[in-house]
Amino acid sequence: MVTTDEWSESRLDVDPTAGEAFVVDLDGFEGPLDLLLTLARNQKVDLARISILALADQYLAFIDKLGEHRLELAADYLVMAAWLAYLKSRLMLPPDEVPQDEPSAEELAGMLAMRLKRLEGIRILAGRLLDRSRLGRDVLPRGAPEETGLVKRSLWEASLYDLLDAYGRQRQRDMVRVHTVRKRQVWALADARDILERLVGTIADWAPIDDYLVRYMTGPDSRATVRASAFSAALELVREGRMELMQSSPFAPLYMRKGPGGPDTPEEGA
Amino acid sequence: MNRSGMSDDAPHGQLRLFAGDRDPAEYEAWMAAIRGAEAILFASAQPVAAEDLAERLAPGTDVAHVLADLRTIYASRGVNLVEVAGKWMFRTAPDLAHLLTREQVEPKKLSRAALETLAIIAYHQPVTRAEIEEIRGVSTNKGTLDVLMETGWIRMRGRRRTPGRPLTYGTTEAFLVHFGLEAVTDLPGVDDLKAAGFLEGAVPPGFRVPVPNASDTLMPDEDPLTELDFQDYEPLPPEE
Amino acid sequence: MNRSGMSDDAPHGQLRLFAGDRDPAEYEAWMAAIRGAEAILFASAQPVAAEDLAERLAPGTDVAHVLADLRTIYASRGVNLVEVAGKWMFRTAPDLAHLLTREQVEPKKLSRAALETLAIIAYHQPVTRAEIEEIRGVSTNKGTLDVLMETGWIRMRGRRRTPGRPLTYGTTEAFLVHFGLEAVTDLPGVDDLKAAGFLEGAVPPGFRVPVPNASDTLMPDEDPLTELDFQDYEPLPPEE
């Protein structure tokens, strides 16, 4: 019944001239139950009708025979032999001599038969499983599967609230910046002094100071700061004697010229 | 779902595509759904869930019906639409394997022990190692389970709430896909055995083919795994 | 019988499969060839040459004809048989490519800078980058405008007729839709902004919020964009 090649190996070589004597390689067996099953199959009757007594005899004879040639037998086989010897003795006892609280010999025999049947059953099932059309061997999947990829797409999230909040915030920042950013442009005193010092060296006679400053007045905003800084710097230069200032009347144009302690004069140290 | 459509003599007259007096717009929409599902299923080498299809097709598309139609249309073709692990995929027709030797991958041959263990895990899941050993009548090599874990067909499910808290094993989606099963309940079971004559006569008491439980939710007597449980199994199969 | 029946317009009558008075054996052989070619083309990882198919199908198969039939059968389907560099392969119908890629929408929040820039563009449009910078008091990152272009909420309107011919920006219809405005003129003015608390404290005299101009016609000092202007923005947002 088992057709798959995995099962076809013969593990029990029966020598037809030797009657019930077997030439067996124990390595081929998957344990005592497997050996028992093989022996039972040899009875050529349905497992349900098997003679457990005969089977036990065969097994014990087989083990005996092996014992003559091999010193070592796996413990599993010996345990089974011992159990079968016990079962055999029980089977031959009259039923009324059996203690009541133990299973009867028939029940024990039935359990053994059941286990054999179950093992055989699972083997048949395994064979049927292997006989199925197996993927990759009997049936094949698509050889060149096509890409069934996952395309990730971003879903952008933003609410109108987020949008207005963002707008409000930055426009608010904008308002604040209007106040701080409007920095007044000033002509630093030091700058004014440097420039005046350079200018005054080139002027021999009285000249209106505004004429020279006008080029630094870049816009209406800067006129005041240039004038104020230049005036302050000029007063300082006058004190040091490097420059002379003259004004005919209040708010009249201011004239300047090189002072007696001009650039040629060594500095006195402020 | 109409499952009869699998045979060669599939009655195309039963396709919703050709049913009754469709108005042209409805026909167009249905054709679009069929073509779309075809494209998606063809493109993927992995099974595609019906929900996945529904997400990609026009809203309101009757996906179950589309799949039924497609299955019928392709039933007699060189490529079939099959349901595996509750999902859908196109695969070559089983009878054409001989043409496809170039594409075939010879699966690693499993030992008898591994095969038996796999069958026990498939039919008895969730199952512990001790239970596997009880059925096989022999102790299980750690290597056997390792080999099965490597195939990606079995997984550790959890721990049984019994003394010693043994690990429980079950099958994976890759297992269903590989063996072309819709679900673990689709595993060939007792009925097949009976039909094959293996269960003639009295069934011994207690012998039954259990209904496997592969649902991802743990059984009442199972606890979830913790990280410690995975330290032995590196790398893990993809579905864990 | 029209077995493929998939399309009204595909000339199935021309298929060799359905041609003339075939004897059943010939029909079977032809069907087998079609199915075989279908399976091989489906399972192959590479496009398949006709000679390759001939080698794998039954000897004497008219492969060119099989391929022609298959191409016709699949012409109106979700997958088509196409010839690429002299070899053959199944490929998703071009009009269905969009079904294969699934969009995943990722919600993203606009940065503060982007929001502020957007707000200025909304209120002050048409507005140049220099003007935006002047209002914000900081220089504007190119990335900020790019992100806003990506949202589809702003657009380049034209070029200001001033030295340097700077680009002018404005909002789009998508902007109105997203923010629930009927027109940009619905944006609140100074009083409304103040009332709603978006502007606080004393508003200096002369402070004003412009009434946005979003009309699609250019302002007198705006020139239309030329193709050169779009080279930087590839791909363009859909509404442009």
Side-chain angles (χ1 to χ4, degrees), chain C:
Chain C
M1 178 183 82
N2 177 354
R3 290 187 59 115
S4 70
M6 285 308 296
S7 160
D8 286 342
D9 46 5
H12 279 179
Q14 288 171 17
L15 291 182
R16 185 169 155 195
L17 189 57
F18 307 121
D21 312 310
R22 302 191 147 278
D23 70 280
E26 204 185 341
Y27 174 85
E28 280 305 314
W30 194 247
M31 248 334 256
I34 293 272
R35 292 181 74 237
E38 216 169 22
I40 292 167
L41 288 163
F42 173 84
S44 175
Q46 307 292 333
V48 182
E51 304 81 63
D52 239 8
L53 271 179
E55 232 171 73
R56 297 167 78 169
L57 296 176
T61 305
D62 180 353
V63 172
H65 222 135
V66 166
L67 286 166
D69 267 18
L70 268 182
R71 173 142 72 173
T72 308
I73 291 168
Y74 279 93
S76 59
R77 309 297 297 266
V79 268
N80 304 148
L81 184 63
V82 294
E83 189 178 357
V84 180
K87 297 183 174 187
W88 296 80
M89 65 188 292
F90 278 121
R91 201 151 58 184
T92 308
D95 63 317
L96 298 176
H98 66 280
L99 290 176
L100 302 189
T101 51
R102 200 158 28 152
E103 269 199 354
Q104 196 184 51
V105 171
E106 255 183 336
K108 274 192 193 165
K109 269 195 142 34
L110 280 184
S111 69
R112 172 114 169 231
L115 260 178
E116 287 183 5
T117 306
L118 176 64
I120 290 168
I121 292 173
Y123 271 96
H124 296 254
Q125 61 188 303
V127 66
T128 67
R129 184 161 156 178
E131 289 163 349
I132 296 169
E133 290 177 352
E134 199 196 316
I135 296 170
R136 292 194 61 221
V138 291
S139 66
T140 301
N141 220 310
K142 173 85 161 51
T144 304
L145 283 170
D146 283 346
V147 163
L148 288 175
M149 288 297 279
E150 199 193 310
T151 61
W153 295 339
I154 70 162
R155 65 193 176 98
M156 296 183 287
R157 287 172 51 103
R159 286 191 178 276
R160 178 74 50 78
R161 228 174 275 152
T162 55
R165 296 177 36 75
L167 280 168
T168 52
Y169 293 90
T171 54
T172 62
E173 200 179 305
F175 168 84
L176 297 178
V177 171
H178 182 89
F179 291 98
L181 299 164
E182 258 178 51
V184 278
T185 45
D186 281 357
L187 283 168
V190 179
D191 294 343
D192 292 329
L193 286 173
K194 246 187 95 73
F198 291 116
L199 289 174
E200 287 164 357
V203 173
F207 180 89
R208 54 180 200 90
V209 165
V211 175
N213 180 307
S215 84
D216 280 345
T217 55
L218 296 171
M219 303 287 280
D221 64 348
E222 272 182 302
D223 279 336
L225 293 174
T226 65
E227 273 200 19
L228 279 174
D229 293 321
F230 291 107
Q231 288 182 343
D232 273 358
Y233 289 96
E234 207 69 63
L236 291 168
E239 56 278 23
E240 281 296 320

Side-chain angles (χ1 to χ4, degrees), chain B residues 75-110:
Chain B
S76 59
R77 308 299 296 266
V79 177
N80 304 148
L81 183 63
V82 295
E83 186 179 359
V84 287
K87 301 176 178 180
W88 296 80
M89 75 185 295
F90 275 119
R91 307 195 313 193
T92 56
D95 64 316
L96 299 175
H98 63 284
L99 292 177
L100 305 169
T101 45
R102 250 181 256 177
E103 284 80 17
Q104 283 156 7
V105 274
E106 196 48 46
K108 200 168 143 189
K109 215 166 176 175
L110 290 179

Side-chain angles (χ1 to χ4, degrees), chain B residues 30-91:
Chain B
W30 194 246
M31 255 321 269
I34 293 270
R35 289 183 75 234
E38 214 169 24
I40 294 164
L41 289 164
F42 245 82
S44 174
Q46 306 294 324
V48 179
E51 302 82 61
D52 231 15
L53 277 175
E55 236 172 72
R56 293 170 181 229
L57 296 177
T61 304
D62 181 353
V63 173
H65 222 134
V66 167
L67 287 166
D69 266 19
L70 267 182
R71 172 143 74 175
T72 308
I73 291 167
Y74 278 92
S76 59
R77 308 299 296 266
V79 177
N80 304 148
L81 183 63
V82 295
E83 186 179 359
V84 287
K87 301 176 178 180
W88 296 80
M89 75 185 295
F90 275 119
R91 307 195 313 193

Side-chain angles (χ1 to χ4, degrees), chain B residues 148-168:
Chain B
L148 287 176
M149 291 291 280
E150 221 174 273
T151 62
W153 294 340
I154 70 162
R155 65 191 175 100
M156 297 183 286
R157 285 173 52 104
R159 288 189 176 276
R160 179 74 50 77
R161 226 173 277 151
T162 54
R165 297 177 34 77
L167 280 169
T168 53

Side-chain angles (χ1 to χ4, degrees), chain A residues 92-105:
Chain A
M92 291 187 302
L93 277 178
D96 49 334
E97 291 186 21
V98 175
Q100 289 303 306
D101 54 345
E102 279 181 35
S104 73

